[in-house]
Amino acid sequence: MKINTQDFRVREGARVRLKRLPTRVKPFYSSDEDYKAALADHIHGLTTRQSLLYAHNRYSLLLIFQAMDAAGKDGAIKHVMSGVNPQGCQVYSFKHPSAEELAHDFLWRTTRCLPERGRIGIFNRSYYEEVLVVKVHPEILAGQSIPAESLSDKKFWEKRYRSINDLEKHLYRNGTRVLKFFLHLSKEEQRKRFLKRIEDPVRNWKFSRFDLAERGFWKEYQGAYEECLSETSTEQAPWFVVPADDKLNARLIISQVVLNALKDLKMSYPAPDKTRLKELLAMKKRLAK
Ligand code: ATP
Ligand code: MG
Protein backbone atom coordinates (compact mmCIF):
# COMPACT_ATOMS: atom_id res chain seq x y z
CA MET A 1 0.00 0.00 0.00
CA LYS A 2 1.34 3.41 -0.93
CA ILE A 3 2.33 5.66 1.95
CA ASN A 4 1.95 9.35 1.29
CA THR A 5 4.50 10.72 3.73
CA GLN A 6 3.31 14.29 3.16
CA ASP A 7 0.22 13.37 5.20
CA PHE A 8 2.44 13.25 8.28
CA ARG A 9 4.72 16.18 7.55
CA VAL A 10 4.30 19.42 9.50
CA ARG A 11 4.30 22.28 7.02
CA GLU A 12 6.52 25.24 7.89
CA GLY A 13 4.47 27.82 9.78
CA ALA A 14 1.54 25.47 10.53
CA ARG A 15 0.08 25.61 14.06
CA VAL A 16 0.08 22.05 15.31
CA ARG A 17 -2.85 20.81 17.39
CA LEU A 18 -1.97 17.28 18.46
CA LYS A 19 -5.55 16.41 19.38
CA ARG A 20 -6.45 16.89 15.72
CA LEU A 21 -3.70 14.59 14.50
CA PRO A 22 -4.29 10.82 14.64
CA THR A 23 -2.37 8.46 16.91
CA ARG A 24 -3.64 5.63 14.70
CA VAL A 25 -4.39 5.46 10.97
CA LYS A 26 -5.57 2.71 8.66
CA PRO A 27 -2.70 0.20 8.50
CA PHE A 28 -0.44 0.21 5.44
CA TYR A 29 -0.25 -3.60 5.70
CA SER A 30 -2.90 -6.28 5.52
CA SER A 31 -1.23 -9.02 7.59
CA ASP A 32 1.95 -9.73 9.54
CA GLU A 33 3.51 -11.25 6.42
CA ASP A 34 2.55 -8.23 4.40
CA TYR A 35 4.15 -5.95 7.03
CA LYS A 36 7.37 -7.98 7.00
CA ALA A 37 7.54 -7.89 3.22
CA ALA A 38 6.88 -4.14 3.08
CA LEU A 39 9.49 -3.38 5.75
CA ALA A 40 12.02 -5.69 4.06
CA ASP A 41 11.40 -3.82 0.83
CA HIS A 42 12.06 -0.45 2.51
CA ILE A 43 15.16 -1.81 4.24
CA HIS A 44 16.50 -3.13 0.96
CA GLY A 45 16.10 0.36 -0.54
CA LEU A 46 17.72 1.92 2.51
CA THR A 47 20.77 -0.33 2.47
CA THR A 48 21.36 0.20 -1.25
CA ARG A 49 21.16 3.95 -0.86
CA GLN A 50 23.22 3.98 2.29
CA SER A 51 26.12 2.43 0.36
CA LEU A 52 25.75 5.18 -2.21
CA LEU A 53 25.59 7.86 0.52
CA TYR A 54 28.84 6.45 1.92
CA ALA A 55 30.63 6.25 -1.42
CA HIS A 56 29.41 9.65 -2.61
CA ASN A 57 30.65 11.14 0.67
CA ARG A 58 29.04 14.58 0.35
CA TYR A 59 25.82 14.34 2.34
CA SER A 60 24.85 12.94 5.69
CA LEU A 61 21.50 12.18 7.22
CA LEU A 62 20.41 12.97 10.76
CA LEU A 63 17.29 11.26 12.09
CA ILE A 64 15.87 12.66 15.31
CA PHE A 65 13.39 10.69 17.40
CA GLN A 66 11.31 12.34 20.10
CA ALA A 67 8.29 10.97 21.96
CA MET A 68 6.59 10.33 25.24
CA ASP A 69 7.81 7.21 27.10
CA ALA A 70 6.87 3.84 25.60
CA ALA A 71 6.01 5.33 22.21
CA GLY A 72 8.39 2.91 20.50
CA LYS A 73 11.48 4.99 19.69
CA ASP A 74 13.88 2.15 20.44
CA GLY A 75 11.92 -0.42 18.45
CA ALA A 76 11.55 1.92 15.48
CA ILE A 77 15.29 2.60 15.40
CA LYS A 78 16.10 -1.09 15.76
CA HIS A 79 13.74 -2.29 13.03
CA VAL A 80 14.10 0.52 10.52
CA MET A 81 17.90 0.49 10.65
CA SER A 82 18.23 -3.29 10.96
CA GLY A 83 19.74 -3.90 7.52
CA VAL A 84 21.97 -0.88 7.45
CA ASN A 85 25.73 -1.35 7.53
CA PRO A 86 26.80 -0.50 11.13
CA GLN A 87 29.91 1.23 9.76
CA GLY A 88 27.75 3.84 8.10
CA CYS A 89 25.40 4.46 10.98
CA GLN A 90 25.79 6.01 14.43
CA VAL A 91 23.10 5.95 17.14
CA TYR A 92 23.21 8.23 20.19
CA SER A 93 20.77 8.21 23.09
CA PHE A 94 20.60 11.41 25.09
CA LYS A 95 19.64 11.05 28.73
CA HIS A 96 20.02 13.51 31.62
CA PRO A 97 23.02 15.72 30.82
CA SER A 98 26.30 15.20 32.68
CA ALA A 99 28.10 17.91 34.65
CA GLU A 100 30.51 18.39 31.75
CA GLU A 101 27.63 18.77 29.30
CA LEU A 102 25.85 21.24 31.57
CA ALA A 103 28.98 23.37 31.61
CA HIS A 104 28.40 24.19 27.91
CA ASP A 105 25.66 25.77 25.83
CA PHE A 106 22.63 23.58 25.17
CA LEU A 107 23.65 22.55 21.65
CA TRP A 108 27.15 21.42 22.55
CA ARG A 109 26.63 17.81 23.54
CA THR A 110 24.64 16.86 20.47
CA THR A 111 26.81 18.83 18.06
CA ARG A 112 29.74 16.61 18.98
CA CYS A 113 27.72 13.59 17.83
CA LEU A 114 26.59 14.87 14.43
CA PRO A 115 27.10 12.37 11.61
CA GLU A 116 30.18 12.53 9.41
CA ARG A 117 29.72 12.94 5.68
CA GLY A 118 28.42 9.77 4.13
CA ARG A 119 26.87 8.54 7.39
CA ILE A 120 23.45 8.25 8.92
CA GLY A 121 23.23 9.61 12.47
CA ILE A 122 20.38 8.79 14.78
CA PHE A 123 19.47 10.80 17.86
CA ASN A 124 17.27 8.94 20.33
CA ARG A 125 16.13 12.13 22.09
CA SER A 126 18.15 15.22 21.22
CA TYR A 127 18.63 18.95 21.75
CA TYR A 128 14.84 19.12 21.46
CA GLU A 129 14.69 17.97 25.10
CA GLU A 130 15.84 21.51 25.84
CA VAL A 131 12.48 22.91 24.71
CA LEU A 132 10.43 19.91 25.93
CA VAL A 133 11.35 18.39 29.32
CA VAL A 134 13.15 21.62 30.27
CA LYS A 135 10.07 23.68 29.37
CA VAL A 136 7.78 21.34 31.31
CA HIS A 137 10.18 21.47 34.29
CA PRO A 138 11.70 24.96 34.11
CA GLU A 139 13.49 24.31 37.43
CA ILE A 140 16.01 22.30 35.34
CA LEU A 141 17.21 25.62 33.93
CA ALA A 142 18.62 26.54 37.34
CA GLY A 143 21.25 23.84 36.88
CA GLN A 144 22.35 25.16 33.49
CA SER A 145 24.32 28.19 34.79
CA ILE A 146 22.73 30.50 32.24
CA PRO A 147 23.49 34.24 32.63
CA ALA A 148 20.71 36.12 34.47
CA GLU A 149 19.96 38.48 31.57
CA SER A 150 19.34 35.54 29.21
CA LEU A 151 17.27 33.68 31.77
CA SER A 152 14.98 36.65 32.40
CA ASP A 153 14.54 37.36 28.68
CA LYS A 154 10.82 37.18 27.88
CA LYS A 155 11.73 35.60 24.54
CA PHE A 156 13.84 32.89 26.13
CA TRP A 157 12.03 29.94 24.48
CA GLU A 158 11.58 31.76 21.20
CA LYS A 159 15.33 32.23 21.11
CA ARG A 160 15.96 28.57 21.83
CA TYR A 161 13.75 27.66 18.86
CA ARG A 162 15.69 30.15 16.78
CA SER A 163 19.03 28.65 17.83
CA ILE A 164 17.73 25.25 16.77
CA ASN A 165 16.37 26.49 13.44
CA ASP A 166 19.63 28.31 12.73
CA LEU A 167 21.65 25.19 13.52
CA GLU A 168 19.51 23.01 11.26
CA LYS A 169 19.69 25.51 8.39
CA HIS A 170 23.46 25.63 8.80
CA LEU A 171 23.58 21.84 8.70
CA TYR A 172 21.45 21.77 5.55
CA ARG A 173 23.76 24.21 3.76
CA ASN A 174 26.65 21.95 4.67
CA GLY A 175 25.14 18.72 3.41
CA THR A 176 23.38 17.27 6.46
CA ARG A 177 19.73 16.45 5.88
CA VAL A 178 17.74 16.49 9.14
CA LEU A 179 14.51 14.53 9.51
CA LYS A 180 12.59 14.68 12.76
CA PHE A 181 10.04 12.19 13.98
CA PHE A 182 7.55 12.74 16.77
CA LEU A 183 5.98 9.40 17.65
CA HIS A 184 2.43 10.43 18.47
CA LEU A 185 1.05 8.07 21.12
CA SER A 186 -2.34 8.25 22.85
CA LYS A 187 -2.45 8.44 26.63
CA GLU A 188 -4.54 5.25 26.71
CA GLU A 189 -2.01 3.32 24.61
CA GLN A 190 0.78 4.50 26.91
CA ARG A 191 -1.22 3.20 29.90
CA LYS A 192 -1.53 -0.22 28.24
CA ARG A 193 2.18 -0.38 27.42
CA PHE A 194 3.18 0.69 30.95
CA LEU A 195 0.95 -2.06 32.39
CA LYS A 196 2.57 -4.58 30.07
CA ARG A 197 6.00 -3.47 31.31
CA ILE A 198 4.87 -4.12 34.88
CA GLU A 199 3.14 -7.45 34.19
CA ASP A 200 5.77 -8.98 31.91
CA PRO A 201 8.97 -9.81 33.89
CA VAL A 202 11.06 -9.52 30.74
CA ARG A 203 9.89 -5.93 30.33
CA ASN A 204 10.14 -4.88 34.01
CA TRP A 205 13.51 -3.24 33.50
CA LYS A 206 11.97 -0.87 30.97
CA PHE A 207 9.71 0.75 33.53
CA SER A 208 10.65 3.26 36.20
CA ARG A 209 8.69 5.38 38.65
CA PHE A 210 10.00 8.43 36.78
CA ASP A 211 8.05 7.30 33.71
CA LEU A 212 4.85 7.31 35.76
CA ALA A 213 5.70 10.70 37.24
CA GLU A 214 6.20 12.19 33.76
CA ARG A 215 2.89 10.74 32.63
CA GLY A 216 1.35 13.06 35.24
CA PHE A 217 2.58 15.97 33.10
CA TRP A 218 0.97 14.62 29.90
CA LYS A 219 -0.93 17.83 29.12
CA GLU A 220 2.12 20.00 29.68
CA TYR A 221 4.22 17.77 27.41
CA GLN A 222 1.61 17.82 24.65
CA GLY A 223 1.59 21.64 24.89
CA ALA A 224 5.39 21.80 24.74
CA TYR A 225 5.42 19.43 21.74
CA GLU A 226 2.76 21.45 19.93
CA GLU A 227 4.74 24.64 20.27
CA CYS A 228 8.02 22.94 19.40
CA LEU A 229 6.62 21.27 16.28
CA SER A 230 4.98 24.52 15.15
CA GLU A 231 8.13 26.57 15.67
CA THR A 232 10.77 24.23 14.34
CA SER A 233 9.31 22.38 11.37
CA THR A 234 11.00 23.94 8.35
CA GLU A 235 11.45 23.18 4.67
CA GLN A 236 15.04 22.19 5.35
CA ALA A 237 14.39 20.16 8.49
CA PRO A 238 10.78 18.97 8.68
CA TRP A 239 8.97 17.27 11.53
CA PHE A 240 6.82 14.22 10.89
CA VAL A 241 4.06 13.42 13.35
CA VAL A 242 3.93 9.64 13.14
CA PRO A 243 0.83 7.87 14.51
CA ALA A 244 2.43 5.51 17.03
CA ASP A 245 -0.39 3.47 18.59
CA ASP A 246 0.37 0.84 15.96
CA LYS A 247 4.13 0.22 16.13
CA LEU A 248 4.32 -1.69 12.87
CA ASN A 249 2.56 1.02 10.94
CA ALA A 250 4.84 3.65 12.51
CA ARG A 251 7.92 1.71 11.33
CA LEU A 252 6.61 1.57 7.77
CA ILE A 253 5.92 5.31 7.75
CA ILE A 254 9.34 6.19 9.19
CA SER A 255 11.26 3.93 6.81
CA GLN A 256 9.35 5.39 3.87
CA VAL A 257 10.25 8.95 4.91
CA VAL A 258 13.93 8.05 5.25
CA LEU A 259 13.94 6.23 1.94
CA ASN A 260 12.33 9.18 0.15
CA ALA A 261 14.91 11.56 1.62
CA LEU A 262 17.77 9.38 0.37
CA LYS A 263 16.15 9.07 -3.06
CA ASP A 264 15.90 12.87 -3.25
CA LEU A 265 19.66 13.29 -2.94
CA LYS A 266 21.54 13.48 -6.21
CA MET A 267 24.35 11.02 -5.69
CA SER A 268 26.58 8.78 -7.75
CA TYR A 269 29.46 6.40 -7.20
CA PRO A 270 32.72 8.27 -7.78
CA ALA A 271 33.80 7.63 -11.38
CA PRO A 272 37.52 7.22 -12.08
CA ASP A 273 39.11 9.92 -14.25
CA LYS A 274 41.46 9.17 -17.18
CA THR A 275 44.62 8.98 -15.05
CA ARG A 276 42.92 6.70 -12.56
CA LEU A 277 41.59 4.46 -15.35
CA LYS A 278 45.11 4.12 -16.74
CA GLU A 279 46.40 3.26 -13.29
CA LEU A 280 43.69 0.63 -12.79
CA LEU A 281 44.47 -0.90 -16.17
CA ALA A 282 48.18 -1.08 -15.38
CA MET A 283 47.45 -2.78 -12.06
CA LYS A 284 45.15 -5.24 -13.78
CA LYS A 285 47.91 -6.15 -16.20
CA ARG A 286 50.36 -6.73 -13.35
CA LEU A 287 47.88 -8.95 -11.54
CA ALA A 288 47.15 -10.91 -14.69
CA LYS A 289 50.84 -11.89 -15.08
P1 ATP B 1 13.90 4.22 27.50
O1 ATP B 1 12.99 4.60 28.61
O2 ATP B 1 13.20 3.61 26.34
O3 ATP B 1 15.11 3.47 27.93
P2 ATP B 1 14.47 7.04 27.36
O4 ATP B 1 14.94 7.86 26.21
O5 ATP B 1 13.14 7.38 27.93
O6 ATP B 1 14.52 5.56 26.87
P3 ATP B 1 15.45 7.27 30.04
O7 ATP B 1 16.77 6.98 30.64
O8 ATP B 1 14.23 6.58 30.55
O9 ATP B 1 15.58 7.08 28.47
O10 ATP B 1 15.15 8.81 30.15
C1 ATP B 1 16.02 9.78 29.78
C2 ATP B 1 15.54 11.05 30.44
O11 ATP B 1 16.50 12.07 30.22
C3 ATP B 1 14.21 11.53 29.88
O12 ATP B 1 13.31 11.75 30.93
C4 ATP B 1 14.57 12.84 29.22
O13 ATP B 1 13.54 13.77 29.28
C5 ATP B 1 15.80 13.25 30.01
N1 ATP B 1 16.64 14.19 29.29
C6 ATP B 1 17.17 14.04 28.07
N2 ATP B 1 17.82 15.16 27.69
C7 ATP B 1 17.68 16.05 28.70
C8 ATP B 1 18.11 17.38 28.91
N3 ATP B 1 18.82 18.03 28.01
N4 ATP B 1 17.79 17.97 30.08
C9 ATP B 1 17.08 17.31 31.00
N5 ATP B 1 16.63 16.05 30.87
C10 ATP B 1 16.92 15.42 29.73
MG1 MG C 1 12.27 6.32 29.61
Side-chain angles (χ1 to χ4, degrees), residues 5-222:
T5 57
Q6 294 303 316
D7 292 348
F8 307 104
R9 182 181 172 136
V10 178
R11 274 176 299 106
E12 182 166 341
R15 301 311 304 173
V16 175
R17 288 284 162 265
L18 285 174
K19 279 223 166 87
R20 291 195 200 143
L21 298 176
T23 57
R24 185 183 288 279
V25 289
K26 197 164 165 276
F28 294 109
Y29 58 96
S30 54
S31 63
D32 262 12
E33 277 62 48
D34 190 36
Y35 159 74
K36 279 184 197 145
L39 188 66
D41 189 42
H42 287 179
I43 288 171
H44 176 70
L46 281 178
T47 47
T48 318
R49 280 177 182 79
Q50 186 217 6
S51 304
L52 184 56
L53 183 80
Y54 194 84
H56 187 68
N57 200 29
R58 292 292 179 275
Y59 296 107
S60 53
L61 198 60
L62 174 64
L63 312 178
I64 292 182
F65 289 86
Q66 288 288 158
M68 297 298 286
D69 279 307
K73 284 184 281 115
D74 293 10
I77 294 168
K78 183 170 135 189
H79 286 89
V80 171
M81 304 314 290
S82 60
V84 167
N85 180 353
Q87 286 205 72
C89 182
Q90 298 144 313
V91 186
Y92 296 94
S93 297
F94 295 101
K95 314 267 178 186
H96 296 284
S98 68
E100 190 196 13
E101 288 164 348
L102 284 172
H104 293 83
D105 74 275
F106 81 96
L107 292 173
W108 182 78
R109 73 162 168 167
T110 41
T111 302
R112 302 165 84 211
C113 304
L114 288 169
E116 295 165 37
R117 290 192 201 289
R119 314 281 172 115
I120 300 178
I122 296 172
F123 285 180
N124 184 348
R125 299 190 188 272
S126 63
Y127 45 82
Y128 278 101
E129 290 291 321
E130 294 287 342
V131 291
L132 295 166
V133 65
V134 180
K135 193 150 184 263
V136 172
H137 299 288
E139 62 277 13
I140 297 176
L141 281 176
Q144 295 194 351
S145 311
I146 297 168
E149 66 271 22
S150 303
L151 211 50
S152 59
D153 188 338
K154 281 198 187 73
K155 295 190 169 170
F156 180 82
W157 298 110
E158 222 176 295
K159 288 184 180 169
R160 279 210 162 177
Y161 298 132
R162 200 197 295 169
S163 296
I164 290 175
N165 286 334
D166 287 348
L167 166 74
E168 292 176 349
K169 289 200 166 102
H170 162 78
L171 292 176
Y172 187 93
R173 287 193 296 270
N174 288 277
T176 300
R177 296 292 176 265
V178 187
L179 299 170
K180 305 172 299 200
F181 300 97
F182 169 59
L183 273 53
H184 188 21
L185 186 74
S186 67
K187 199 173 180 191
E188 176 53 18
E189 183 62 25
Q190 190 197 49
R191 191 180 72 87
K192 285 186 194 154
R193 292 186 190 175
F194 276 179
L195 280 173
K196 224 181 198 173
R197 289 180 176 190
I198 292 169
E199 282 155 12
D200 179 357
V202 175
R203 293 175 206 250
N204 280 173
W205 66 275
K206 281 190 181 182
F207 193 63
S208 88
R209 63 193 157 87
F210 299 110
D211 294 346
L212 197 58
E214 290 314 287
R215 179 177 162 82
F217 291 92
W218 186 273
K219 230 176 110 192
E220 289 79 359
Y221 271 108
Q222 298 292 300

